[in-house]
Amino acid sequence: PERPLRPRHALAGFVSEPLLQTLVLAGVAVWTCRFTRPLTQWRQCRGRNVRRARRAVAETSVAQVQEDPQNFRTCLARKGLAVVQVPDVALKMMQAAAESLCASSDDGRGQPQGVGPAALADAARAPNFSCRGSVNENFPSTMSWHWAADAETRQLFLPAAEAVGAHLGSDFALMAAHLIVASGGEVRNVESKFHLDFGEPDIPRETVATALLPLFPSSFPESEGNLEWYPWDTAAAAYEGRQPLPQPAVHCYRVGEGAVFDGKLAHRTQPFSGVAFQGRKRILAALYFARVTEADTSERSVRFVLFSQGAPPLPPVRLGGQSEEDDMVKRIQLAAEGGDPAAQQLLAKMHLMGHGVVRSVTLAAGWLRKAAAHGGPESNDLLQAAEELERDYRGLDT
C-alpha cells in the first residue's frame, strides 16, 4: 500500500486539530488586548482630561469673582456677575416663606423641611403670593414663579435685599421679589434657554440687577441645576465673531450665598435630571433691583418688564431703610429748605397732618410764614393761616 503523504512542516499536521485552533485564536485575542488596551486607556484618560479642562475654563470666571468679594462692583462690571453673602436671619425668613407657600399649595410631597414657622413669628399673617406658571418659552414648564403680592410679603425679602443693596449702592431700589419653585421632573437642555432678564434696548447695562439665592435643598448637585452664564468679554467676542461661543461659566449654588448679575447678562438654569434632587423641591429666591435716580429714565421700562412677567404693581423700596415715600418726603424737604414756596406750603400741610414727618403745628406755621415771605397774591392768606394755627391749634403738637 502507498504511504500517506506527510505534511511539509511538523506543525502543519496539528493545525487542523480543534484544540490547537482554539489555542491559536486565544493567543491572537490576548495579543490584541495587550496592545490595544493601552490605546483605549489613553483615549479614555484624554477624554477625562479634556472634560476637566473645559470645566476648569468654565469655572474660571466664577472663581475670579468669588476670590475678590471686597471689589463687588468691580467684579460685577468686569464679568457681569458677583457673589454676596446672605445673613442667616434673612435666609431663614425666606426659607420659612417658602415652607408656608409649599404647605398651602400642595399635599406636602417634596415639601422642604427644617426651618419651621418660627421665622415668620413677626408676620401678622401667612405670606401672600401670586402664582405664575412658566413665564415664556425660555423656561421649562416644571418651574413656577410665586411673586410677593403685597408690601407685607415683600418685607420678608427685604433683609436679603439690604445685604445685596449694600454692595450695589444706595441708588438701587428693590423692584420685585418672588420664589422660583421646580416641583419635580427634569429640565432638559432644549427646555432651558439662555436669556436676558431685561433685554429691552432702552434699559442700559449697569442699571438693573438680579439676585438669585438658593433656599432648598440644603446642598445642590455639582453639575446639575446650577446657574450657567456667559461673562461680558466671552459673549462680546463671540458676538463680534472673534471666537466661537465657548462653554458657559457655571455658578454653583450654595445656601447662604447669592449670585448677583446684571440684567443684561445671558444666563440659564443648568439642565438637571429627574433624580438630581431626589424628589425634593428646588426653590430659589429672586430679587430684582433697578437704579432709581432723576437722571435714569429706564425705570418705567423695568416696571413694564416685571409686570409682563406677573409681578404686582408695587412701588420700589429704596434700600438702606428708605422707601419711595421716604424719598419723596426728603425731596420735598430739600426743596423747601432751598426756598421753593410751593414745597414750603406742601411741607406745612404735611407737618399739620403728620404725613411722613412729625406732626407739629408750630413747624407748619413756620413753613407757612417762610412761604409768605416770598410775596405774591397768597402772602396775606398764608400769614393769616399761620397766625390761626399758632393761636387755635398749638395744643395739637405731639
Side-chain angles (χ1 to χ4, degrees):
E2 296 182 0
R3 288 185 177 183
L5 295 176
R6 295 178 60 86
R8 183 175 299 180
H9 300 287
L11 186 61
F14 299 95
V15 172
S16 60
E17 297 294 334
L19 178 61
L20 188 56
Q21 290 179 356
T22 304
L23 293 176
V24 170
L25 294 175
V28 173
V30 170
W31 181 87
T32 303
C33 293
R34 181 178 179 181
F35 286 94
T36 59
R37 182 179 299 175
L39 179 61
T40 303
Q41 293 177 346
W42 176 81
R43 289 176 177 174
Q44 293 176 349
C45 181
R46 180 177 179 273
R48 287 194 298 267
N49 291 337
V50 169
R51 288 192 294 270
R52 290 174 182 172
R54 289 177 177 175
R55 186 180 304 172
V57 171
E59 294 178 353
T60 299
S61 301
V62 180
Q64 291 176 350
V65 171
Q66 292 177 337
E67 289 173 358
D68 195 9
Q70 300 298 328
N71 296 326
F72 176 91
R73 297 186 191 179
T74 303
C75 296
L76 190 62
R78 186 181 73 245
K79 292 294 182 181
L81 184 146
V83 179
V84 63
Q85 297 293 325
V86 182
D88 291 339
V89 174
L91 183 65
K92 290 181 179 179
M93 290 182 67
M94 294 184 296
Q95 287 176 331
E99 284 193 359
S100 177
L101 171 67
C102 294
S104 61
S105 61
D106 58 20
D107 58 0
R109 290 177 296 179
Q111 179 177 341
Q113 300 290 337
V115 178
L120 293 178
D122 295 335
R125 55 175 174 79
N128 181 20
F129 290 97
S130 60
C131 180
R132 175 76 180 268
S134 183
V135 177
N136 53 48
E137 66 277 2
N138 293 324
F139 301 94
S141 58
T142 55
M143 290 186 179
S144 58
W145 279 252
H146 302 264
W147 296 88
D150 52 37
E152 187 173 350
T153 301
R154 193 172 57 178
Q155 288 291 326
L156 301 175
F157 297 86
L158 193 56
E162 293 286 357
V164 177
H167 293 74
L168 287 175
S170 59
D171 53 347
F172 277 85
L174 176 65
M175 305 297 293
H178 66 83
L179 298 175
I180 306 175
V181 180
S183 54
E186 64 178 1
V187 173
R188 296 175 298 173
N189 186 55
V190 296
E191 293 178 319
S192 183
K193 301 178 182 179
F194 282 94
H195 62 280
L196 312 180
D197 283 349
F198 299 91
E200 279 62 20
D202 58 338
I203 302 178
R205 278 172 48 170
E206 300 183 10
T207 59
V208 287
T210 301
L212 294 180
L213 301 87
L215 302 180
F216 293 104
S218 58
S219 61
F220 278 63
E222 293 185 0
S223 58
E224 294 185 89
N226 294 292
L227 177 67
E228 293 185 347
W229 59 286
Y230 284 108
W232 290 133
D233 50 359
T234 300
Y239 180 77
E240 295 172 0
R242 290 185 280 110
Q243 66 181 34
L245 193 63
Q247 291 289 329
V250 179
H251 168 77
C252 295
Y253 286 125
R254 295 180 179 85
V255 176
E257 291 183 352
V260 184
F261 53 91
D262 196 285
K264 310 292 285 189
L265 188 77
H267 66 283
R268 72 166 184 172
T269 299
Q270 188 182 35
F272 57 88
S273 61
V275 297
F277 295 94
Q278 303 177 358
R280 297 170 295 178
K281 292 183 182 295
R282 173 187 178 274
I283 305 179
L284 305 177
L287 310 176
Y288 298 95
F289 302 86
R291 178 176 280 118
V292 182
T293 60
E294 295 181 357
D296 186 17
T297 60
S298 61
E299 181 184 348
R300 178 176 298 180
S301 298
V302 173
R303 293 195 186 193
F304 175 79
V305 171
L306 294 174
F307 180 76
S308 64
Q309 296 179 1
L314 298 177
V317 177
R318 294 296 296 266
L319 303 176
Q322 190 176 45
S323 65
E324 189 179 52
E325 181 180 356
D326 296 333
D327 183 62
M328 183 62 68
V329 171
K330 184 177 181 181
R331 293 183 183 183
I332 294 174
Q333 289 176 328
L334 291 176
E337 293 173 355
D340 187 345
Q344 291 171 345
Q345 295 183 46
L346 182 57
L347 187 57
K349 294 179 181 179
M350 293 168 60
H351 277 295
L352 184 61
M353 305 299 297
H355 288 169
V357 293
V358 62
R359 185 177 182 181
S360 172
V361 174
T362 303
L363 293 177
W367 284 113
L368 288 177
R369 292 184 182 279
K370 291 182 179 181
H374 292 278
E378 298 180 350
S379 300
N380 294 331
D381 295 338
L382 294 175
L383 288 175
Q384 183 178 356
E387 293 174 356
E388 291 178 356
L389 287 176
E390 292 176 337
R391 182 180 66 247
D392 301 331
Y393 300 97
R394 185 179 295 274
L396 296 177
D397 282 354
T398 57

